[in-house]
Structures are given as structure tokens and as C-alpha cells.
Amino acid sequence: MTAFEPPSALGSSGALGSRGAPGGDGHDAVVLAGGAARRLGGADKPGVHVGGRALLDRVLAACSGAVTTVVVAEPRPTAHPVRWAREDPPGGGPLAALDAGLRQTTAEHVVVLSADLPFLDRDTVRRLLTALHKAGREGVLLTDRDGRDQPLVAAYRRPALLRELDALRAEHGELTGLPLRRLTGALAVTRITDPVASFDCDTWDDIAAARARIREHGHVLDEWITAVKDELGLDLDVDTGLLLDLARDAAHGVARPAAPLTTFLVGYAAGRAEGGPEAVAEAVRKATALALRWAAETGSDADAPANPDAG
């Protein structure tokens, strides 16, 4: 069952790159999104916006390379296709939720994430999976700036999770209400410290801090471009420096409004060519050359015919 709203026609056509990353190493993902959010006054935490995108959608974008992504929560519209699961009874806690999601996966390796990680990205997910491959352990998890384990920002071997979940169920009769540490404490894990990617939003102060950080000078442009691509259903990586240089040349050499219009036309041309980053780069090259030729003519008489009356 999904509650996936398809992207715009531009994104779904493949014109500028289609939504959905390749399966990579064949891993799956389980995202826990059904908590009560008591410290947010019971607000719908997965739906809270940071940088114009719901927290859940930000996490789903980071793990979009998974073959199957299972979200454990009540279904809702999302920016990425997912499978839905629910623990029984609802609100039974993270172990029960993890078990419900895990039963709908099949891959050897599973990324396990909470739905409140505003700074998680694909590189972090890849780093977790790479470490899991190399370490030969049963799991790799992030720790925060204080050295605390974050078992919901992690990659695990699925058979190891199932083994320990079954053992806990046999010991306690059920998983409801059991803390996550009962599971991770029984696994052989590797830890990676990452205070940014492990940052989660438990309070409104955390939400405010996350919103402030993405608007800082060193982050705002990348955050905005990522948000736009997600909104339009695009999965395309291009050299933003090339586009900015083109916009500068068009603005200075032609007229200020030429900058946004020219970059739009470059994107449209690349889309008609059904190309990826290479098509964008080629369109930028042609448009930049034109802008430079245009600017070179301004106030110049280098190409003017000689005045026969001169001299």
C-alpha cells in the first residue's frame, strides 16, 4: 500500500532526469515515523517542514537508493514511493515498529532510520552501507556529538536483526514497550561519529535550529536546489557553478532579466534533448559563448567597417 503522489509531468517524463535512484547494492530501508512526538505537543512531526520539505520526505530522499522502502506509520502523501506498515498494536514502540517494517523487506542489508533527521543525505547512507560491507559486522550506526548511539541512523544485516528480534520476543512474549538498546546491545556493531547527520528533531527548539542552519550562507544554495529537485521530481546532478557563471555572464553582458530566462532555456533545451548532466553542460557552454560574444560587441567598433572619409 502506498500514498505516493507522483511528481510533476516534467519530472515523470524523464526530461531532466527521472525520480528514483538505482538500487545500488540491493539494500532496503525501514523508516520509523509513527512516534507520539510528545515533546512537540503531539504535533505531526514527520510532516513538519524544514527547508520547505517535510521531515519524512527529507529522509526518504536520503534513502531513495533502496530497492524497497518501508515506512512504519499511518499512510500519507509522500514525495517518494514507499510501502507502508504498522506495528500491532499501534504505538507499541520502536522495536515493535522495526519488526513490522523489517518483515516487509528482503535484502541482506537494511538501512534503519527515524523520520526526523533533517541533515541526513545520500552520502551518509552510502557511508553506512560501505562501512557495513567492509567491517564484516552486524551493524554500523552513527553516534552524536556526545558519543551517544543513534540506532535509528544505521545500517544492519537483516538476518542479525531478525535473530535478535525473535530472541526478544521469545524472552518477553512481545516487543511492545521494549527499548531499542535491548536489540542493539546484542549486536556486533561499528560506530561512526557524525553530529550533523545524527541530529534529530525532538523539540521545537531543534526544529528552529535546523531551519536556521539550512539558511546559513554555506548551506542555503545546496538546500534550495535539493528542495526544488525534490519538489519537481528530478533526480539530476549538475554543476551549479556552471549555471551560476552563465547567469552572471547573461546578467552583466546582456541585461539582468536575461539571467533567469537564459538558465530556464538551458534547462528546457537539455530536457528536449532527454539528456543528463552532459546535456546541461553542453547547453550551458553554447549559451555562455553566445553571452560572451554579445557582451564583446557592446561599445566596441572592432568589427565596424573602415570610414572611407577618415584621414
Side-chain angles (χ1 to χ4, degrees), residues 53-145:
R53 293 188 291 160
L55 283 170
L56 175 58
D57 284 336
R58 296 178 73 91
V59 172
L60 293 179
C63 64
S64 62
V67 175
T68 299
T69 297
V70 181
V71 179
V72 186
E74 287 297 321
R76 67 173 68 216
T78 59
H80 301 266
V82 302
R83 183 177 295 174
W84 296 93
R86 201 71 171 108
E87 72 273 25
D88 185 20
L95 274 186
L98 175 58
D99 184 70
L102 203 62
R103 303 293 169 176
Q104 296 199 34
T105 64
T106 58
E108 168 76 14
H109 300 138
V110 180
V111 178
V112 177
L113 306 165
S114 62
D116 59 352
L117 303 165
F119 305 129
L120 185 73
D121 58 22
R122 294 185 186 185
D123 287 342
T124 302
V125 171
R126 280 193 290 263
R127 186 154 56 106
L128 288 168
L129 290 165
T130 298
L132 185 63
H133 280 288
K134 291 182 177 179
R137 309 280 277 177
E138 294 176 321
V140 177
L141 55 82
L142 294 190
T143 60
D144 63 19
R145 66 175 67 251

Side-chain angles (χ1 to χ4, degrees), residues 32-59:
L32 306 191
R38 292 183 180 87
R39 286 194 278 175
L40 289 178
D44 175 27
K45 181 162 66 168
V48 172
H49 284 192
V50 173
R53 293 188 291 160
L55 283 170
L56 175 58
D57 284 336
R58 296 178 73 91
V59 172

Side-chain angles (χ1 to χ4, degrees), residues 196-217:
V196 176
S198 64
F199 180 87
D200 56 0
C201 292
D202 289 329
T203 68
W204 287 113
D205 285 343
D206 294 336
I207 297 291
R211 288 171 172 170
R213 184 182 189 277
I214 66 171
R215 285 170 171 76
E216 292 174 358
H217 177 70

Side-chain angles (χ1 to χ4, degrees), residues 248-249 287-297:
R248 179 202 62 208
D249 291 337
T288 299
L290 174 62
L292 293 177
R293 294 197 303 270
W294 185 292
E297 296 175 10

